[in-house]
Amino acid sequence: MNDYVKVPTNLDLDALRAFVKGIELGSFYLAAQNLCRSPAAISAQLKKLEQQTGCQLLRKNGRLLELTPSGELLFSHAKTVLAMNDRVLLQLHLTQATGVIRFGLQEDFAEGTLQQLIAQFMLQYPKVQFQIQVDRNLNLLEKVQKQELDLALIWQQDEARENFYELQNVETEWLFCSHPHIQQILENKASIPLVVLQQPCILRQMAIQALEEKGLEWHIAYECNSVQALWPAVRAGIGISLRSLFQIPSDIKILKSAELPQLKSLSFGLYSSSKLESGYIVQQFQKYIEQHLQ
């Protein structure tokens, strides 16, 4: 009949944590202070751990304790076991986190990537509620400053130098749908018809400033109050528009012309009133966006 050793089903994780902390700090007295336990309690946990493993884990070397080969083996795996335990408990805790995130979006960012990121974030925090407002830059700035919004994804402006975290720098371009009369207007140096959003609009201002600096004539051919209303006008050939290359429709093309001025890039990022004023769940969402949109 073969002899066998009865192996304990579980290690005591509190005892394992005391063991690891003592080795890391080089002192079980310091480990007791760190874990808010008495030295006697730590000593009892170490004895319990040796009973559970059936091994001597520590031996005296003068006034010091050192790891035995069995202790070294346990220590090499113990941190992984504790890290997994802590990670699981943290994930379970996060799924119970609740709160409301009041998030503002400049209209260029209101579809596509941002919605996917919000959905992924909510898989980690299923009890969180989002209240989304889509608006213009200046309006979003004011709402954050008045604490009507926790965060806003906006184009960078001088008014938002503080508490602004830059995420990306994107190119801006003249955009159109290929209609012969648009090219003819440029070749004839006629007044350039612009398709723009109503004021206030940073990209509208950029377009007008760039054209005037080059001495080109222009006029507002079509203005509307939303990006979604802007694209049909461009498709119809009413005029050209200046927009960023952030998620433009596939049928809208970049207009390359020596007659048109070169354009500057534009930065966008997260604007918040203050991280100190933000709740835990808002801070977690801000970190999530910063990690995934850079």
Side-chain angles (χ1 to χ4, degrees):
M1 186 172 183
N2 293 329
D3 293 334
Y4 70 95
V5 177
K6 185 178 179 180
V7 179
T9 305
N10 301 304
L11 289 171
D12 185 300
L13 291 182
D14 286 337
L16 195 62
R17 199 177 300 276
F19 171 72
V20 168
K21 188 61 67 175
I23 301 303
E24 289 179 339
L25 295 177
S27 165
F28 287 98
Y29 177 79
L30 293 177
Q33 291 183 322
N34 185 272
L35 297 171
C36 299
R37 301 287 180 86
S38 68
I42 295 296
S43 179
Q45 286 184 319
L46 294 177
K47 288 180 181 178
K48 183 177 183 180
L49 203 55
E50 289 189 329
Q51 289 173 354
Q52 289 179 329
T53 59
C55 302
Q56 181 184 356
L57 303 175
L58 298 161
R59 63 189 170 203
K60 285 189 176 182
N61 183 4
R63 298 180 62 182
L64 302 175
L65 288 174
E66 63 179 20
L67 290 171
T68 65
S70 295
E72 290 178 347
L73 178 62
L74 179 63
F75 183 69
S76 68
H77 295 290
K79 289 190 287 185
T80 301
V81 172
L82 291 171
M84 183 175 294
N85 172 80
D86 296 347
R87 187 162 55 249
V88 169
L89 288 178
L90 178 60
Q91 288 298 316
L92 290 172
H93 171 73
L94 292 181
T95 62
Q96 301 305 308
T98 61
V100 175
I101 299 176
R102 301 170 303 168
F103 187 37
L105 293 172
Q106 211 281 342
E107 194 175 2
D108 295 79
F109 315 120
E111 294 186 10
T113 301
L114 257 296
Q115 304 304 326
Q116 294 170 12
L117 288 180
I118 290 172
Q120 291 164 9
F121 181 80
M122 292 186 75
L123 291 177
Q124 298 182 28
Y125 300 88
K127 295 189 176 182
V128 170
Q129 177 190 355
F130 275 87
Q131 294 180 355
I132 304 294
Q133 292 191 38
V134 178
D135 211 331
R136 303 293 178 78
N137 252 45
L138 288 176
N139 294 337
L140 293 173
L141 281 171
E142 291 178 359
K143 289 178 181 180
V144 171
Q145 291 165 356
K146 293 177 181 178
Q147 298 187 355
E148 296 173 6
L149 290 172
D150 301 306
L151 290 170
L153 188 66
I154 62 170
W155 297 115
Q156 186 171 18
Q157 291 188 232
D158 290 339
E159 295 90 336
R161 290 185 181 276
E162 294 185 8
N163 299 318
F164 179 83
Y165 185 91
E166 183 178 328
L167 293 170
Q168 284 188 36
N169 190 269
V170 295
E171 298 299 319
T172 58
E173 296 283 359
W174 300 106
L175 301 176
F176 81 130
C177 273
S178 188
H179 292 275
H181 71 279
I182 297 291
Q183 296 286 3
Q184 189 174 1
I185 287 171
L186 296 174
E187 292 171 5
N188 294 340
K189 301 187 185 314
S191 178
I192 296 171
L194 295 178
V195 176
V196 295
L197 294 182
Q198 295 169 350
Q199 291 284 28
C201 175
I202 292 175
L203 292 165
R204 171 181 175 146
Q205 294 167 355
M206 282 180 61
I208 293 172
Q209 182 178 352
L211 292 172
E212 289 187 343
E213 286 178 353
K214 196 168 180 180
L216 297 175
E217 292 186 29
W218 59 272
H219 65 278
I220 303 297
Y222 184 97
E223 68 173 11
C224 55
N225 63 357
S226 75
V227 173
Q228 293 309 309
L230 181 145
W231 299 130
V234 175
R235 290 188 182 101
I238 292 175
I240 68 174
S241 188
L242 188 154
R243 306 302 301 168
S244 76
L245 296 184
F246 192 90
Q247 297 180 342
I248 63 171
S250 58
D251 61 331
I252 303 296
K253 307 302 180 184
I254 296 174
L255 176 55
K256 295 294 186 182
S257 171
E259 303 300 325
L260 292 172
Q262 295 294 312
L263 299 170
K264 301 175 182 178
S265 59
L266 201 58
S267 295
F268 71 85
L270 284 173
Y271 180 58
S272 61
S273 55
S274 171
K275 285 191 175 182
L276 295 177
E277 298 170 3
S278 300
Y280 168 80
I281 199 67
V282 173
Q283 292 181 26
Q284 293 304 113
F285 179 63
Q286 183 167 355
K287 290 177 184 177
Y288 188 84
I289 294 297
E290 290 171 358
Q291 291 169 0
H292 289 83
L293 265 187
Q294 284 188 314

